């Protein structure tokens, strides 16, 4: 355990160095200089473990430990290495490092898995770079392809496809990154909880049975600019006033939907953004989540109806795009049972959980059986420079993941 915790610490602290905001948290956007630094480090660590390393067309990294029977489907373990701006060092990397540590333990114990094992490091899960969360796993599972990668753009207006090309990858070959489900036995992920439950209950791990459904809307309201001093109030088409009417009512829609439904307006851009100019355009996001598919659908419909109603009242144009929709996802009960058995055998305190955050696991559930382990987050904090999980706590999660991998690969 101590050597494992030390390895985990060294990996996480090294990856944390690859940030565009030193001293102000982890900022590592996909296909950036910091992405390349992390990428080179992870590939080197995979090679040192004797893994066969490859990158797919969009930049996901695979490290393969061949099984005794090469033709069998692989167990894949990993997570993502991109971040939100000024995020933490653990969200994503902890899951990749879990994979590396599992392989290190297999090597130390001279085990030979019957099934192949692959460690994966995924790009662009957060959606920070191109406004599309879970992008890489969605490409891998065939949910989006080259067309969408040319359409998705970052805040500088540069497409995901162009950023990929600049980094040496090829969005036009995205179809080659799609995994054949027959080649994948399972996908496993360890992640920090990003909430306070495990810490407050003094528990070691959470085993996720359901990941909430997620919808993201992008809304553009178009009015008319005018002078702040000379345009009468009854002659204005103020996009920001309209947006404020809409945004103020969204929480009530989530509350009425119940079923742990939540809604968040996380991004708001106002144009032309002048102190003495009536706003002519507002672009904002709405993130809606629920563990119940019907509640999620109803909330989406009500938010869209609200936008259309309020914009019509003020004679504004409204454009609504839904770049992401993932239904609530039930993870594999057999893998859940195996994880619980191993946690119990090790005397760990654990609970079954619902994940309020989206994870690549929910996307992989469309093509294979999946399992997701949570480890405690200090003060429930995440997407923040102070995000923290004790290395020993991660190692306890890896203990369970290691035994689960052994069971699934038949070491």
């Amino acid at each position: 355990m101590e050597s494992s915790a030390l390895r985990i610490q060294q990996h996480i602290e090294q990856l944390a160095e690859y940030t565009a905001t030193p001293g102000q948290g982890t900022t590592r956007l996909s296909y950036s200089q910091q992405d390349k630094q992390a990428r080179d480090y992870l590939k080197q660590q995979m090679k040192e473990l004797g893994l066969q390393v490859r990158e797919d067309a969009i930049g996901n990294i695979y490290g393969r430990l061949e099984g005794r029977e090469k033709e069998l489907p692989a167990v894949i373990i990993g997570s993502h290495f991109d971040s939100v701006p000024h995020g933490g060092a653990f969200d994503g990397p902890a899951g990749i490092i879990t994979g590396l540590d599992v392989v290190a333990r297999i090597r130390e114990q001279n085990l030979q898995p019957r099934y192949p094992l692959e460690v994966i490091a995924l790009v662009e899960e957060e959606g920070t770079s191109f406004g599309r969360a879970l992008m890489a796993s969605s490409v891998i599972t065939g949910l989006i392809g080259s067309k969408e990668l040319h359409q998705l753009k970052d805040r500088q207006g540069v497409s995901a496809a162009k950023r990929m090309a600049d980094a040496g990858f090829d969005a036009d070959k995205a179809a080659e990154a799609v995994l054949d489900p027959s080649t994948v036995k399972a996908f496993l992920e360890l992640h920090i909880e990003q909430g306070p439950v495990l810490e407050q209950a003094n528990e070691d791990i959470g085993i996720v049975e359901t990941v909430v459904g997620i919808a993201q809307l992008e809304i553009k309201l178009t009015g008319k600019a005018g002078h702040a001093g000379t345009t009468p109030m009854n002659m204005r088409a103020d996009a920001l006033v309209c947006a404020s009417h809409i945004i103020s009512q969204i929480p009530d829609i989530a509350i009425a939907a119940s079923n742990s439904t939540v809604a968040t307006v996380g991004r708001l851009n106002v144009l032309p953004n002048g102190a003495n100019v009536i706003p002519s355009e507002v672009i904002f996001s709405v993130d809606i989540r629920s563990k119940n598919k019907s509640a999620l659908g109803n909330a989406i419909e009500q938010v869209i109806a609200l936008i259309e109603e309020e914009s019509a009242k003020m004679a504004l144009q409204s454009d609504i795009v839904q770049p992401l929709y993932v239904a609530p996802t039930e993870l594999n009960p057999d893998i859940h049972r195996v994880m619980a058995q191993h946690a119990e055998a090790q005397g760990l305190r654990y609970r079954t959980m619902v994940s309020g955050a989206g994870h690549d696991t929910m996307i992989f559930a469309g093509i294979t059986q999946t399992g997701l382990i949570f480890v405690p987050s200090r003060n429930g904090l995440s997407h923040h420079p102070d995000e923290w999980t004790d290395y020993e706590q991660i190692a306890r999660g890896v203990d369970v993941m290691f035994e689960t991998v052994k069971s699934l690969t038949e070491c």
Side-chain angles (χ1 to χ4, degrees):
M1 166 93 92
E2 291 180 358
S3 61
S4 181
L6 180 59
R7 279 196 299 257
I8 291 166
Q9 178 179 357
Q10 290 171 338
H11 285 316
I12 285 182
E13 291 181 353
Q14 185 58 54
L15 284 170
E17 295 293 318
Y18 309 135
T19 174
T21 53
Q24 301 177 57
T26 300
T27 302
R28 187 165 50 242
L29 304 185
S30 296
Y31 313 113
S32 64
Q33 177 186 352
Q34 294 74 35
D35 170 291
K36 185 179 186 308
Q37 292 172 323
R39 177 182 302 281
D40 290 345
Y41 175 79
L42 290 170
K43 289 193 294 185
Q44 182 59 37
Q45 298 309 306
M46 290 177 177
K47 290 175 182 176
E48 290 182 9
L49 287 168
L51 302 180
Q52 303 167 24
V53 180
R54 68 180 178 88
E55 293 169 287
D56 67 17
I58 67 167
N60 298 305
I61 311 166
Y62 292 82
R64 184 178 178 94
L65 176 63
E66 199 58 82
R68 298 194 305 274
E69 299 181 36
K70 297 181 180 181
E71 72 282 359
L72 291 177
V75 173
I76 302 177
I77 179 172
S79 193
H80 62 97
F81 63 103
D82 65 315
S83 80
V84 299
H86 304 284
F90 296 82
D91 178 358
I96 301 170
I97 291 161
T98 293
L100 296 177
D101 201 65
V102 165
V103 173
R105 295 185 189 199
I106 289 173
R107 294 298 197 197
E108 289 170 350
Q109 298 182 26
N110 295 314
L111 301 175
Q112 292 185 318
R114 179 181 170 220
Y115 285 79
L117 175 64
E118 292 191 329
V119 179
I120 190 170
L122 292 153
V123 296
E124 198 54 24
E125 185 266 359
E126 297 288 2
T128 299
S129 296
F130 307 108
R132 209 300 185 174
L134 305 163
M135 186 190 83
S137 51
S138 294
V139 171
I140 286 174
T141 56
L143 296 178
I144 63 174
S146 297
K147 178 181 177 181
E148 289 85 355
L149 297 178
H150 281 278
Q151 292 172 339
L152 293 170
K153 290 182 169 56
D154 61 19
R155 295 186 182 183
Q156 288 73 48
V158 180
S159 71
K162 178 63 165 61
R163 294 296 187 197
M164 288 176 189
D166 291 344
F169 303 107
D170 191 348
D172 291 329
K173 295 183 179 179
E176 297 177 9
V178 178
L179 292 176
D180 179 347
S182 69
T183 66
V184 185
K185 183 179 184 183
F187 178 82
L188 306 174
E189 185 173 11
L190 179 143
H191 207 281
I192 62 170
E193 181 195 348
Q194 301 179 280
V197 174
L198 292 174
E199 183 184 55
Q200 289 184 1
N202 194 30
E203 292 170 334
D204 298 305
I205 67 167
I207 304 174
V208 177
E209 66 174 357
T210 304
V211 182
V212 297
I214 304 174
Q216 291 181 350
L217 304 176
E218 295 286 335
I219 297 95
K220 181 169 76 171
L221 301 176
T222 305
K224 186 176 181 180
H227 194 287
T230 62
T231 308
M233 296 301 293
N234 64 349
M235 297 179 65
R236 298 186 177 204
D238 189 324
L240 183 55
V241 169
C242 184
S244 68
H245 289 169
I246 294 166
I247 293 168
S248 66
Q249 297 179 68
I250 287 175
D252 292 334
I253 291 175
I255 293 169
S258 65
N259 290 286
S260 302
T261 303
V262 295
T264 305
V265 175
R267 184 171 64 250
L268 181 73
N269 296 322
V270 181
L271 297 173
N273 205 29
N276 61 349
V277 184
I278 298 167
S280 61
E281 184 175 284
V282 172
I283 301 171
F284 62 98
S285 64
V286 183
D287 182 297
I288 309 170
R289 306 184 184 214
S290 181
K291 65 181 182 181
N292 181 277
K293 184 177 181 179
S294 177
L296 179 62
N298 288 338
I300 295 169
E301 290 177 2
Q302 290 180 45
V303 169
I304 291 174
L306 171 65
I307 293 165
E308 292 175 343
E309 179 184 352
E310 292 292 341
S311 58
K313 283 181 184 177
M314 298 185 63
L316 269 66
Q317 177 180 335
S318 62
D319 296 289
I320 306 169
V321 177
Q322 183 176 294
L324 177 66
Y325 174 84
V326 184
T329 305
E330 299 290 333
L331 304 189
N332 185 268
D334 293 329
I335 291 182
H336 188 285
R337 196 157 37 247
V338 169
M339 289 176 166
Q341 289 170 351
H342 289 308
E344 193 164 336
Q346 295 173 39
L348 298 179
R349 299 177 298 276
Y350 72 94
R351 70 166 56 203
T352 293
M353 300 188 72
V354 173
S355 173
H359 298 286
D360 291 304
T361 301
M362 69 193 299
I363 304 300
F364 275 92
I367 66 166
T368 190
Q369 55 182 350
T370 54
L372 175 60
I373 289 175
F374 280 167
V375 290
S377 294
R378 183 178 296 174
N379 299 321
L381 198 61
S382 183
H383 286 187
H384 188 281
D386 294 336
E387 174 183 279
W388 183 267
T389 294
D390 290 341
Y391 301 116
E392 291 79 10
Q393 290 175 320
I394 298 175
R396 282 190 281 274
V398 179
D399 288 342
V400 176
M401 190 67 82
F402 174 56
E403 295 300 330
T404 301
V405 167
K406 283 171 58 181
S407 296
L408 291 174
T409 61
E410 300 180 17
C411 282

